[in-house]
Amino acid sequence: MEKRKTPYPIAPQQAAQIQKSLLDWYDKNKRDLPWRGVCTPYAVWVSEIMAQQTRITFLLKYYDRFMERFPTVQALADADEADLLKAWEGLGYYSRAKNMKKAARKIVSDFGGAIPDTEESLLSLPGIGAYTAGAILSIAYGRAIPAVDGNVLRVMARLEEFTGDISVPAVKKKITETLAQIYPDKNCGDFTQGLMELGATVCIPAGKPKCEECPVKNICKAFKNGTTDKIPVKKVVKPRKHEKITVFVLVCDRKYAIRKRENRGLLYGLWEFPNHEGHLTSEEARTLAAEWGAKPNKTVQAAHKTHTFTHIDWDMQYYLIECTEKPDLFLWADKDELRDIYAIPAAFQPPDFNQINFFGLL
Ligand code: SF4
């Protein structure tokens, strides 16, 4: 993106002031994250895709494991899908992993295995949008291309006191063009990461921004005019949907019943514990398990949890039921196989799944 005149021109001395303040602040305050300092295009791509809809602190334990398992574009292109989904297990939004594999195959077939360095080529890859392309181009290739995510939109809207709705594409475009004027000629990667870091740790999304700690408070129009609680403007979000689900942890001969989800819709193609709409009573759950042919012996334990997606909450009632039959309707896996082979999305994992100690009893 060229630096060009926009409806909100930034004076060169103001742009220089923002660049210096932000870069100095980032240098002193950046968090120590595993992909920082190893800014290869592949590392930036993986970390940015993982960070979508996910807190940085949460994804840390997944990033190293993923990079060890799939250290290169070629390794990702060659990945067995079941292995890939297992490595992604717990991160959610599994279509991100599936798209990365598709993109890796295209990088190998069309770009000789090297992640391309133009916006047009990056945008042709599955799962890569303007934000990820900007992140790769600025952080890995040092180009003055903005990467505008929610954090950066919020910082820029407050800095320049944009009063438009930031969820409207025209407003986002205006903010992106304004930001392009502020980019430095050097250290573009640090500038991009500085903006992201500022939005994540100082100009925060929930609660009051920490303006007293902010390196650009002397330039920020929202701070100067006391409008930080009104900006950014965002459309009113629809109330979230709430669904009740009963999940069955059926165990027979120390094996657990799982099945594959349909190849469409939420969490498509992944493994799940059998489940049913609504909250069933223990007795109703045993009756349904009997209809499936599992011959329930006793309900050992019940548990409850809520799983939150971006647009919907699942209110989940679990029953651990001992059975004496293993109907072919399901695949029966032991705890090692559940841990090592089958990708069970976090939504379906019983509360103590990571310890594979379902409800502390078996
Ligand atoms: Fe955000 Fe406050 Fe900094 Fe302005 S001064 S960018 S509102 S933290």
Side-chain angles (χ1 to χ4, degrees):
M1 188 176 300
E2 296 299 320
K3 295 184 182 182
R4 57 181 180 248
K5 283 195 179 326
T6 75
Y8 291 92
I10 304 282
Q13 59 272 38
Q14 187 184 346
Q17 201 180 346
I18 295 172
Q19 290 162 11
K20 177 161 184 2
S21 303
L22 189 67
L23 287 168
D24 287 351
W25 174 84
Y26 178 67
D27 199 38
K28 293 189 190 86
N29 293 282
K30 64 185 168 204
R31 289 170 292 177
D32 185 17
L33 301 175
W35 51 88
R36 286 190 174 150
V38 203
C39 292
T40 64
Y42 184 62
V44 174
W45 178 36
V46 171
S47 62
E48 290 299 335
I49 297 291
M50 276 193 176
Q52 289 168 12
Q53 314 281 357
T54 308
R55 286 193 315 277
I56 294 289
T57 47
F58 180 76
L59 73 81
L60 287 178
K61 65 181 175 193
Y62 294 95
Y63 176 80
D64 286 338
R65 189 179 74 184
F66 188 91
M67 291 300 270
E68 267 169 38
R69 182 73 191 79
F70 309 108
T72 60
V73 172
Q74 184 70 57
L76 184 56
D78 294 341
D80 174 77
E81 182 154 307
D83 282 352
L84 176 64
L85 295 178
K86 192 67 196 166
W88 202 266
E89 182 185 84
L91 275 169
Y93 304 99
Y94 289 78
S95 56
R96 292 181 294 172
K98 293 173 184 174
N99 278 335
M100 281 184 77
K101 177 175 159 66
K102 284 187 206 156
R105 291 173 73 102
K106 191 160 185 220
I107 292 167
V108 169
S109 64
D110 297 4
F111 300 100
I115 294 176
D117 63 355
T118 68
E119 202 165 13
E120 188 186 1
S121 299
L122 285 168
L123 292 176
S124 74
L125 299 172
I128 295 193
Y131 166 75
T132 309
I136 293 170
L137 290 168
S138 62
I139 300 172
Y141 290 118
R143 308 266 302 280
I145 310 281
V148 180
D149 66 352
N151 282 333
V152 174
L153 271 180
R154 183 173 55 259
V155 171
M156 284 303 297
R158 286 172 170 162
L159 200 59
E160 284 301 305
E161 209 175 27
F162 285 113
T163 53
D165 178 345
I166 59 167
S167 60
V168 172
V171 174
K172 186 171 173 184
K173 182 166 180 274
K174 190 155 56 181
I175 290 177
T176 305
E177 288 177 351
T178 303
L179 176 57
Q181 297 176 80
I182 303 174
Y183 257 72
D185 295 325
K186 293 190 298 188
N187 295 329
C188 295
D190 281 359
F191 189 76
T192 292
Q193 293 181 91
L195 275 172
M196 294 172 177
E197 195 83 339
L198 191 70
T201 61
V202 176
C203 197
I204 49 180
K208 267 173 82 93
K210 303 171 189 170
C211 299
E212 289 308 327
E213 300 171 24
C214 181
V216 290
K217 65 174 185 276
N218 294 337
I219 310 158
C220 177
K221 292 178 182 160
F223 178 57
K224 182 175 163 218
N225 297 326
T227 56
T228 57
D229 58 335
K230 297 184 182 62
I231 295 176
V233 174
K234 272 195 262 183
K235 70 173 179 227
V236 179
V237 283
K238 285 194 237 157
R240 297 171 60 74
K241 275 172 61 181
H242 193 81
E243 281 181 4
K244 292 182 175 175
I245 298 176
T246 299
V247 181
F248 294 76
V249 182
L250 304 177
V251 57
C252 179
D253 297 337
R254 298 190 165 269
K255 296 205 167 203
Y256 296 83
I258 57 173
R259 66 186 181 192
K260 214 160 195 191
R261 287 177 69 76
E262 287 184 6
N263 255 335
R264 62 188 165 82
L266 199 57
L267 305 175
Y268 66 94
L270 297 167
W271 293 90
E272 65 178 6
F273 290 103
N275 54 82
H276 191 271
E277 280 177 20
H279 280 177
L280 304 182
T281 63
S282 168
E283 200 45 49
E284 288 168 336
R286 285 162 47 79
T287 302
L288 185 51
E291 285 172 18
W292 285 334
K295 289 209 177 148
N297 186 13
K298 63 176 179 174
T299 303
V300 181
Q301 180 64 290
H304 178 266
K305 80 166 189 183
T306 302
H307 188 85
T308 303
F309 295 95
T310 43
H311 60 296
I312 192 168
D313 293 328
W314 280 358
D315 181 3
M316 308 174 88
Q317 175 66 50
Y318 287 79
Y319 290 111
L320 174 63
I321 301 176
E322 278 185 358
C323 304
T324 56
E325 286 288 334
K326 296 198 283 286
D328 292 342
L329 190 61
F330 305 121
L331 185 148
W332 293 82
D334 62 25
K335 287 179 178 177
D336 289 342
E337 290 168 327
L338 286 181
R339 183 177 46 232
D340 300 334
I341 299 175
Y342 300 104
I344 311 273
F348 282 104
Q349 295 178 4
D352 55 4
F353 185 83
N354 286 330
Q355 290 78 44
I356 306 276
N357 179 29
F358 301 139
F359 311 131
L361 290 179
L362 287 178

